[in-house]
Amino acid sequence: SRCEPPAPSPPPPSPPPPSPPPPSPSPPPIPPPSLPPLVPPSGPVALPSSPPPAPSPPPNPPSSPPPQPASCPVIRDASGGCCGTTTLDTDGMCCDAGRALDVCGVCGGSAVLVDISGACCDVNVTDAAGFCCTHSSGVDDCGVCGGDASSCSKIISLIYSVDSTDGLNNQDSEEYNTFLSVFVNDIAGKLGVQTDQITVLVISPGARHHRHLLQQMSVLVQFQVVTT
């Protein structure tokens, strides 16, 4: 027989793989906080009610009557004060003894007249319109306060001839007003002024007279002309 060589030995087995590391331990669970057990209230539950009403204010105590002032032997003024005299000013206040009221009722005032507008004047001078004039030069001949007499009104009287004086004694008659209109226009034209500058003051029928063999009537007319 042939000799066979011995069969080769099998290779050694591979080493086992390493084991995985053990898992890290989990943290212990946190227990939930313990709450006290709910205990139902005993008896009925009171619900909140609306706030109580505000207390009413105490009633006003009965007012005592005001004290009565002492008697005043003379007179009381508007403030209730007792005056030593019987004179009160325009405000109803006492005007002390030795002091007089002026024309405007001011105690110790200096007003001596009241002008057409109701103003109290310290001087006894008014202009032609009736207003106080406090100008140092006073009123001129034309009645202008502080004027220089360059603007005056003049009063003129003349005899005017007419054919008839019937109705001229009656200012409401048609004849009177017709004569007035004719006269004013005639005089305004002759004097070179406007008709509103002439004011007739007097119309007085006169006597019958003869002129150029014609029998006519005369009328005395007094009028005022305002010149500028």
Side-chain angles (χ1 to χ4, degrees), residues 50-169:
S50 58
S56 57
N60 293 328
S63 58
S64 58
Q68 297 296 322
S71 60
C72 182
V74 185
I75 193 174
R76 292 190 180 277
D77 63 12
S79 67
C82 187
C83 300
T85 67
T86 57
T87 305
L88 299 177
D89 63 13
T90 53
D91 296 326
M93 304 303 292
C94 300
C95 186
D96 299 335
R99 304 179 68 192
L101 298 178
D102 65 8
V103 295
C104 290
V106 177
C107 183
S110 58
V112 292
L113 65 86
V114 179
D115 72 4
I116 193 172
S117 68
C120 299
C121 303
D122 293 339
V123 293
N124 194 18
V125 179
T126 56
D127 62 12
F131 294 97
C132 296
C133 179
T134 58
H135 196 277
S136 59
S137 63
V139 177
D140 66 7
D141 294 337
C142 302
V144 178
C145 182
D148 57 0
S150 62
S151 172
C152 289
S153 62
K154 298 178 175 61
I155 296 178
I156 303 173
S157 298
L158 56 81
I159 302 296
Y160 203 76
S161 297
V162 294
D163 295 332
S164 173
T165 59
D166 293 341
L168 297 186
N169 286 319

Side-chain angles (χ1 to χ4, degrees), residues 6-36:
S9 306
S14 300
S19 302
S24 57
S26 302
I30 300 175
S34 60
L35 298 175

